[in-house]
Amino acid sequence: MDDCIFCKIIDKKIPAHVIYEDAHAVAFLDIMPRTPGHTMVIPKYHAATFLDLPDADVAPLFAAVKKVDALLAKKLMPDGMTIGINQGPASGQEVAHLHVHLMPRWLNDHGSAVQSLVNHEGEESVEEIKRKLLSS
Ligand code: 5GP
Ligand code: ZN
């Protein structure tokens, strides 16, 4: 994709602090880190969201995520890691090229858990949601 900033990073047309690369994925430090070592892992071709990633490429992408997780854990020695994907503008996705955020976490970093990002319970009960999801 010509106008995709992450495709340009893959093609080395714009610089990035790459910390890991293999045949399927590239990992580079976020330009506006929310924690020290905030990294994004992206597939090496344009896929806008996780749903656009072919099934066969899910495992290679997440194998890279795990390698980067281990690298950050070993070298930065955080107390934990937040790993997440923003899918679509409603979730906060600004760059339309699939990317997995890894944010090293420390006990005193005053952050919170991913499920605390939103508090919109909705009107339907859990049972109604389940029925909807399992209906044909
Ligand atoms: P999103 O909200 O789409 O999940 O996150 C996009 C992330 O990409 C943001 O954290 C932002 O700081 C990062 N970002 C945007 N443009 C660039 C760039 O050119 N280089 C790097 N390294 N990170 C970028
Ligand atoms: Zn792209």
Side-chain angles (χ1 to χ4, degrees):
M1 279 270 286
D2 288 348
D3 58 349
C4 173
I5 196 146
F6 286 178
C7 282
K8 286 183 181 143
I9 286 175
I10 292 165
D11 294 340
K12 305 198 183 338
K13 286 180 181 152
I14 64 167
H17 296 289
V18 173
I19 61 163
Y20 176 80
E21 183 165 4
D22 62 27
H24 301 275
V26 181
F28 52 93
L29 297 174
D30 198 295
I31 206 167
M32 292 177 64
R34 299 299 294 237
T35 71
H38 181 176
T39 297
M40 282 172 301
V41 181
I42 66 173
K44 265 189 165 169
Y45 58 85
H46 190 83
T49 75
F50 191 40
L51 290 174
D52 298 307
L53 191 70
D55 288 353
D57 293 338
V58 171
L61 179 66
F62 275 84
V65 169
K66 190 175 177 191
K67 287 212 167 77
V68 173
D69 186 4
L71 174 70
L72 294 169
K74 183 177 175 190
K75 296 293 180 67
L76 302 183
M77 291 190 291
D79 299 313
M81 192 74 64
T82 293
I83 301 170
I85 297 171
N86 295 320
Q87 181 165 285
S91 75
Q93 183 176 11
E94 290 180 353
V95 178
H97 181 128
L98 169 61
H99 49 282
V100 182
H101 290 263
L102 290 98
M103 286 174 279
R105 299 295 303 273
W106 281 266
L107 290 171
N108 63 353
D109 67 13
H110 304 295
S112 56
V114 284
Q115 68 271 29
S116 66
L117 285 170
V118 65
N119 193 13
H120 172 68
E121 204 180 326
E123 301 294 317
E124 293 167 296
S125 68
V126 173
E127 287 77 15
E128 284 166 326
I129 298 288
K130 181 182 176 188
R131 205 173 307 122
K132 210 178 249 187
L133 291 172
L134 298 185
S135 68
S136 47

